[in-house]
Amino acid sequence: MSAHPSAPNPFKQPKAVWAVAFACVISFMGIGLVDPILPSLSSQLHATPSQVSLLFTSYLVVTAVAMLVTGFVSSRIGAKRTLVAGLVLIVLFSAAAGASGSIDGIVGFRAGWGLGNALFIATSLAVIVGSASGGFAGAIILYETALGIGIAIGPLLGGELGGISWRGPFFGVSALMAIALIATIVLVQPTPTPARRASIADPIKALRHRGLLTMGLTALCYNWGFFTVLGYAPFPMDLGTHELGYVFTGWGLLVAFFSVFGAPWLQARLGIARSLYLNLALFALDILIIGLFTDSKTTLIVAVIVAGAFIGINNTITTQAVMTVAPVERPVASASYGFVRFIGGGLAPYAAGKIAEHSGVHLPFYIGAAAVALGIGVLATGHSLLAEAERVQAAEAAGHTPAEERRETLEKQALAEELGSAG
């Protein structure tokens, strides 16, 4: 008989978890959904690439800022109502974006979409982690699976619907989110409000803790490279809507595969720290290749698709590490981390468009590669925290460390940091 119990199946979950996971798939479709129609929007609405890239900027910057209020809202109305509110906003604003007739209108409605997205993303992760069977690691794998599938399907749906009309992807998301909304209302049980009401300042205060701040700043650098590729690479590819959809679907499939299978395999062999160092270095190199060979359509397409592997690995390992090292409640950690990282993702596409207009198409990718490389240096300043996160995860997986011991360890670490800063 094996000395270690077999790992629980992360895909054997209650119906409520599947309902939220399905909604996550649709929500994350919104990230890559507009990629195939970016050049079409630029042409048909007579907008520059930097103006069109504001679809990412308004969406992600509003998502980042709104992350600060997710805990405030959910601690007062409960997780289910927060999920429902976020889904309702996404349904309404995605439909409004499809009905809009100007690039400014679409950008504005994408901002409203970002507000709904923030309410949904931060709360959905907490709900899945709290409700899923199979433990913390299994819940993260399920969440990242939903993210990967959504990212993979988004460009495919965007390319197919965008081939009919640029309005199609927006209406498509609205319809699918309406289905997710109904599933959430029916299948997710009402959740009690927490005993302690969160403050809007809690996610900002949480950044005083070195582990959370280090991981957040690393993710900001990483997301700068990520969304430079996602938000600007479609323009130099010079492909049709359908073809762009297929390229980014291939990219998204690698995100999904390496989130679920590649990340656990790599982490088991190299550990958290070395896995992240290696992955970020390879991702920076990949973006550098995009910058060097932007004029080669084949090289550009292959390098963009390959980037999905590095993104998938980083997403899963980093999310687990953040939730482990953060000495605060997981909803607060999720909101704080999301606030910092989405700022990088939101600013990068617009900056890339502006830089390219003045300095050529290569420079945005050089800057993106440099940003990811900078993230390695930032991450290295928290190497000891990553080692602690690895120890805690390994102990919990083996069943040797109860949640109470983990909480006490993190609280002691947080107290030491606060005393150090006070001194």
Side-chain angles (χ1 to χ4, degrees):
M1 186 172 67
S2 172
H4 300 286
S6 60
N9 185 352
F11 301 106
K12 187 177 181 181
Q13 302 292 348
K15 291 180 180 178
V17 172
W18 283 116
V20 176
F22 172 72
C24 285
V25 169
I26 310 304
S27 175
F28 290 124
M29 282 171 55
I31 295 176
L33 180 87
V34 298
D35 255 30
I37 61 172
L38 291 178
S40 176
L41 283 172
S42 179
S43 173
Q44 295 185 34
L45 297 181
H46 308 292
T48 65
S50 61
Q51 288 176 312
V52 172
S53 70
L54 285 172
L55 269 72
F56 282 103
T57 299
S58 65
Y59 175 73
L60 290 170
V61 169
V62 170
T63 295
V65 175
M67 281 286 182
L68 299 178
V69 304
T70 55
F72 177 86
V73 173
S74 64
S75 67
R76 284 161 175 76
I77 66 175
K80 179 177 179 177
R81 290 178 180 174
T82 305
L83 287 175
V84 169
L87 290 169
V88 167
L89 288 174
I90 295 173
V91 169
L92 293 177
F93 282 107
S94 56
S100 179
S102 69
I103 192 67
D104 290 339
I106 299 172
V107 168
F109 290 127
R110 279 280 283 183
W113 188 341
L115 173 60
N117 195 51
L119 292 172
F120 176 79
I121 286 179
T123 311
S124 64
L125 177 57
V127 169
I128 288 179
V129 169
S131 304
S133 59
F136 169 65
I140 294 296
I141 289 176
L142 181 64
Y143 180 79
E144 293 299 335
T145 301
L147 183 152
I149 293 173
I151 285 179
I153 295 176
L156 181 63
L157 181 66
E160 294 304 309
L161 294 179
I164 301 171
S165 167
W166 64 261
R167 301 179 188 273
F170 298 110
F171 288 132
V173 164
S174 182
L176 288 170
M177 268 304 194
I179 297 172
L181 172 61
I182 295 171
T184 301
I185 292 172
V186 173
L187 297 176
V188 177
Q189 296 298 315
T191 52
T193 56
R196 187 185 78 85
R197 291 189 172 186
S199 163
I200 292 179
D202 282 352
I204 296 295
K205 291 179 180 178
L207 292 174
R208 295 179 301 179
H209 303 304
R210 184 184 168 197
L212 192 54
L213 179 61
T214 299
M215 297 303 297
L217 291 176
T218 301
L220 186 153
C221 295
Y222 155 79
N223 271 281
W224 191 282
F226 173 8
F227 282 96
T228 296
V229 173
L230 191 65
Y232 189 72
F235 291 101
M237 279 187 199
D238 192 27
L239 297 173
T241 301
H242 289 289
E243 289 78 10
L244 277 172
Y246 301 147
V247 168
F248 280 96
T249 297
W251 167 85
L253 288 172
L254 288 188
V255 173
F257 180 85
F258 281 89
S259 292
V260 179
F261 301 107
W265 180 87
L266 187 64
Q267 184 176 331
R269 281 151 182 80
L270 298 181
I272 293 176
R274 287 190 293 172
S275 294
L276 288 176
Y277 294 146
L278 174 62
N279 191 64
L280 290 173
L282 291 175
F283 185 38
L285 178 61
D286 185 72
I287 301 174
L288 179 61
I289 290 172
I290 292 174
L292 290 170
F293 298 98
T294 308
D295 298 327
S296 171
K297 185 178 294 188
T298 300
T299 305
L300 179 58
I301 290 171
V302 171
V304 167
I305 292 174
V306 169
F310 308 126
I311 291 166
I313 290 172
N314 194 84
N315 285 346
T316 296
I317 297 178
T318 302
T319 302
Q320 289 190 39
V322 167
M323 291 300 176
T324 305
V325 304
V328 294
E329 298 93 337
R330 281 171 175 161
V332 174
S334 178
S336 182
Y337 173 69
F339 165 68
V340 178
R341 70 179 175 129
F342 282 129
I343 288 293
L347 296 179
Y350 180 72
K354 281 294 186 184
I355 292 169
E357 288 170 11
H358 293 91
S359 304
V361 296
H362 302 279
L363 186 58
F365 299 110
Y366 295 153
I367 294 174
V372 176
L374 176 62
I376 299 174
V378 174
L379 185 64
T381 65
H383 185 85
S384 61
L385 296 169
L386 295 177
E388 172 63 16
E390 187 173 339
R391 186 195 69 78
V392 171
Q393 287 184 23
E396 287 185 343
H400 299 316
T401 303
E404 185 66 20
E405 181 182 332
R406 171 187 178 278
R407 184 184 64 78
E408 289 178 359
T409 299
L410 293 176
E411 285 182 350
K412 289 177 182 177
Q413 180 185 31
L415 180 59
E417 290 177 3
E418 290 179 2
L419 292 174
S421 62

